[in-house]
Amino acid sequence: MLRVSYSDNPAEQRWSLCGALTGPWVDELRSSWLQARGRQARERAPQAHAVIDLRNVTFIDEAGEELLREMQSAGAELVAAGVENKDLIANLAEKNGKRTLRRRVEFLKRLCREVETNEGEKQ
């Protein structure tokens, strides 16, 4: 579940997110983003600064990461709290294959499970 609060003034458009940016909620946020940015482009110049507040986001899946990358590329400022989300934002722009902290932890967990399974089979 994701709650999106949107506010708009002449200087700034702000999306405040709370919950998990996953699955169908990614598409909902994308729709909100495109609609608001399109309306803003038609009604104002210069463009208002876009801020995506992720301080209350608990989880972001790969589709959510891709959307955030698109938003950041379009000039949005991403604001986060917590090690995991800050690391994710820091690595969004990097296209060199670096894994986010969460992806590295998931990889290490899988590797540990494989080692445990292999050792269990040897006994």
Side-chain angles (χ1 to χ4, degrees):
M1 174 81 60
L2 180 71
R3 182 181 72 215
V4 178
S5 300
Y6 174 74
S7 62
D8 186 5
N9 65 51
E12 178 182 271
Q13 290 179 307
R14 178 175 289 267
W15 287 261
S16 298
L17 311 181
C18 182
L21 181 55
T22 63
W25 309 116
V26 174
D27 292 333
E28 287 294 322
L29 179 58
R30 178 178 279 113
S31 176
S32 171
W33 165 259
L34 293 173
Q35 181 181 29
R37 294 303 283 176
R39 181 176 54 245
Q40 183 270 333
R42 287 190 304 271
E43 295 173 357
R44 284 188 239 138
Q47 291 190 1
H49 180 66
V51 177
I52 313 301
D53 184 344
L54 303 166
R55 289 179 288 191
N56 293 311
V57 171
T58 56
F59 183 77
I60 302 169
D61 69 7
E62 290 182 35
E65 288 180 25
E66 184 57 37
L67 175 57
L68 293 176
R69 184 177 293 110
E70 293 169 18
M71 294 169 137
Q72 190 177 54
S73 293
E77 175 187 357
L78 305 178
V79 179
V83 173
E84 186 176 343
N85 286 347
K86 284 183 177 182
D87 180 69
L88 183 143
I89 289 170
N91 289 299
L92 279 177
E94 296 182 19
K95 300 274 184 173
N96 61 6
K98 278 183 79 173
R99 289 186 175 127
T100 62
L101 180 61
R102 179 169 34 95
R103 302 275 181 256
R104 286 178 277 193
V105 168
E106 288 171 359
F107 171 76
L108 290 173
K109 284 180 181 178
R110 270 195 315 274
L111 188 59
C112 287
R113 282 192 297 270
E114 288 175 16
V115 168
E116 289 173 356
T117 301
N118 290 338
E119 288 185 7
E121 291 173 356
K122 289 179 184 177
Q123 294 176 358

